[in-house]
Amino acid sequence: MTYAGPGSQSTVVSDDQARTRMFDVVVVGAGPAGSAAALEVARAGYSVALIERGPFPGSKNVYGGVVYGRVLDELIPNWWEQMPVQRWVTRRCTMVMTPAQALTVDFRTQDWGRPPYNGATAHRADLDSWLAEQAVAAGAVLVPSTVVTGLLRSSAGAVVGVRTDRPDGDLTAGVVIACDGVNSFLAKEAGLFPPGGDSHLTLGVKQTLRLSREVIDERFGVTGTDGVDFEILGCTRGIPGGGFLYTNLDSVSIGVVLGLESLSTAKTRPEELIADLKRHPAIAPLIRGGVEIEYSAHLIPEGGYRSMPRLTGDGILVAGDAAAMCLAAGIWLEGVNFALGAGMYAGRAAADALRAGDTSRRGLAGYTALLEKSFVLADHRKLRDFPGLVLSDRMQHNYPGLVCDLVQGLFQVDNPRPKPGLGRLLRRSAKANGVRLRDLARDAWTGMRAMR
């Protein structure tokens, strides 16, 4: 019998089945959000199943990137002594480029190279396995090689578990926490995304190039386990998005993040843009001689606060990428930390609801309250206008050239002509790059207002 919700493939179970729970909580997806949720539930003394479609957590995830781990202070004491890290990021570079120019704001601090650290490069296969191990050690039951195919509902329509691809694989629970990644079919099946809602997806494409540790240290100016993170604007031929370059222990990863719709319209392949980036005079010397050892792609929910689904339903919570909790705001591109925070608070809210005996949407409302008080929703709300600004036509097509031309004009010596004033240079660069000064002022105000 199928529940008659819009577009739902949920299965109704009897009230007796719903009351006879196999687990207090079922978490779908053993990524950072899922493992954090399972860890919190297990620590609270409730039974929890952590379902993973791969043979082990991280097995299907080739992503590697910068992880901001301070949220783990609440979850795993002295996490930096245990977490599988490639390098600690002590140098952060924001680069704006045109095909022949590049301007870089280059910041480094050794404060980020000692506890409690700031960011680290890590391989998700290692990170996800480690996080899941923490949950299992606390009492969670890991269920690998299992695909969740739908929700189970009570006769009243509340979510009471999940259906899997295993024979007799229905798992009943008081709460289901959906951490099933981008385009979460569980959140959609539960009706948490509005009909026809825009998911605001981008495509991240990455090459990992092997370089010796000694070469990386010399070229990027680091030693030991110090690392570098470059975030780049102006390298995508005007397609909304940006680029990145970061150091692992004995490899570097380089790639682009691209708006799916614009990428399709442009009829450009992502590997062409990566090739452009690798040839750029500001990048080529850093990666020369690197041997490709991995090529990967993954979807990223970059719509931010305005594209999030409803986060709670009767018997269900949504966290991490499944809830579009990736912060893509120009100089910030963060996801794992938001997934960890949301998963942690989802686990706490589920435990509180079970303790109170109310796993309805109202009983799970503490989840949203916890997120509102934390960085997870506070940062997303504060920076809610940034994704639109960063992905706008002017930011992608016009501003990289304007900024580079302005700085080139400042440093260029045209004797015997006198140096032009800053105002004249700005007007000249704006005109050459098709930018009206009133639009520049409006965008600057939008950016400053979002960061107040």
Side-chain angles (χ1 to χ4, degrees):
M1 182 175 179
T2 302
Y3 175 70
S8 175
Q9 297 300 314
S10 304
T11 300
V12 170
V13 299
S14 70
D15 291 342
D16 285 342
Q17 285 177 292
R19 283 191 292 267
T20 308
R21 300 171 182 167
M22 298 177 66
F23 292 94
D24 293 311
V25 177
V26 167
V27 180
V28 182
S35 290
L39 176 56
E40 282 292 296
V41 172
R43 282 180 174 169
Y46 292 99
S47 61
V48 54
L50 179 58
I51 303 177
E52 167 57 37
R53 63 175 180 161
F56 59 87
S59 62
K60 292 184 175 296
N61 201 327
V62 292
Y63 159 83
V66 179
V67 177
Y68 299 95
R70 290 302 306 275
V71 65
L72 289 171
D73 292 352
E74 286 190 56
L75 204 59
I76 303 172
N78 298 329
W79 54 271
W80 55 84
E81 296 175 356
Q82 310 169 47
M83 192 174 90
V85 166
Q86 289 289 298
R87 289 178 182 259
W88 300 106
V89 175
T90 58
R91 181 183 172 200
R92 173 68 188 268
C93 304
T94 300
M95 178 180 287
V96 178
M97 65 167 54
T98 70
Q101 300 164 301
L103 170 69
T104 304
V105 177
D106 189 340
F107 176 76
R108 66 169 70 209
T109 173
Q110 288 310 122
D111 287 345
W112 292 349
R114 53 179 173 259
Y117 299 101
N118 179 60
T121 56
H123 295 317
R124 276 285 300 275
D126 299 332
L127 178 68
D128 287 12
S129 291
W130 174 72
L131 287 168
E133 287 169 6
Q134 309 305 306
V136 170
V141 176
L142 179 63
V143 185
S145 302
T146 302
V147 176
V148 171
T149 59
L151 296 171
L152 301 178
R153 293 188 186 257
S154 69
S155 58
V159 174
V160 293
V162 296
R163 169 149 287 178
T164 76
D165 63 348
R166 288 175 177 259
D168 301 318
D170 291 359
L171 298 178
T172 52
V175 181
V176 170
I177 303 178
C179 304
D180 52 331
V182 181
N183 264 338
S184 168
F185 81 92
L186 290 181
K188 291 178 179 177
E189 186 176 320
L192 301 181
F193 278 100
D198 187 355
S199 56
H200 297 277
L201 296 180
T202 58
L203 179 68
V205 184
K206 178 194 73 175
Q207 286 184 7
T208 299
L209 309 175
R210 186 182 304 282
L211 285 172
S212 72
R213 185 170 180 170
E214 294 73 23
V215 167
I216 292 172
D217 288 351
E218 180 180 356
R219 292 182 183 175
F220 288 88
V222 292
T223 57
T225 56
D226 289 357
V228 184
D229 172 27
F230 280 79
E231 304 293 339
I232 307 166
L233 180 66
C235 60
T236 56
R237 300 186 190 176
I239 297 170
F244 58 86
L245 171 66
Y246 57 82
T247 58
N248 304 307
L249 199 58
D250 55 5
S251 65
V252 297
S253 291
I254 184 169
V256 290
V257 177
L258 307 162
L260 278 178
E261 185 176 343
S262 297
L263 178 63
S264 175
T265 302
K267 300 188 185 303
T268 302
R269 295 187 61 82
E271 55 266 32
E272 297 174 34
L273 302 176
I274 296 179
D276 287 349
L277 186 56
K278 291 167 67 176
R279 285 192 297 264
H280 195 281
I283 300 297
L286 298 174
I287 62 171
R288 184 177 60 250
V291 178
E292 183 179 331
I293 56 175
E294 180 183 88
Y295 183 89
S296 60
H298 64 284
L299 292 175
I300 304 171
E302 287 203 0
Y305 187 77
R306 299 188 190 281
S307 68
M308 288 183 185
R310 186 156 49 88
L311 301 176
T312 62
D314 291 332
I316 187 169
L317 300 173
V318 189
D321 279 1
M325 290 175 175
C326 179
L327 181 68
I331 59 175
W332 298 284
L333 180 56
E334 304 172 21
V336 172
N337 50 334
F338 286 91
L340 287 167
M344 177 174 67
Y345 295 128
R348 291 180 186 177
D352 288 343
L354 289 165
R355 197 174 295 116
D358 182 3
T359 58
S360 68
R361 181 183 177 189
R362 183 175 181 177
L364 291 168
Y367 175 47
T368 305
L370 288 169
L371 294 178
E372 294 278 1
K373 293 176 184 177
S374 77
F375 75 99
V376 178
L377 285 186
D379 285 354
H380 271 287
R381 188 187 308 105
K382 178 186 295 184
L383 299 169
R384 61 188 177 273
D385 292 328
F386 252 69
L389 176 61
V390 171
L391 298 176
S392 67
D393 283 343
R394 283 192 296 275
M395 187 67 73
Q396 296 290 327
H397 290 90
N398 309 106
Y399 288 158
L402 184 154
V403 170
C404 289
D405 285 349
L406 176 62
V407 173
Q408 182 170 319
L410 280 173
F411 293 139
Q412 187 160 316
V413 177
D414 286 330
N415 299 152
R417 287 183 293 176
K419 297 183 184 299
L422 182 60
R424 181 182 173 189
L425 281 173
L426 178 59
R427 289 190 295 272
R428 187 176 73 188
S429 299
K431 182 178 181 180
N433 289 278
V435 176
R436 295 181 298 184
L437 292 181
R438 65 175 177 270
D439 291 333
L440 177 61
R442 185 183 301 114
D443 290 340
W445 171 246
T446 298
M448 289 188 293
R449 185 177 58 188
M451 295 176 65
R452 69 182 184 276

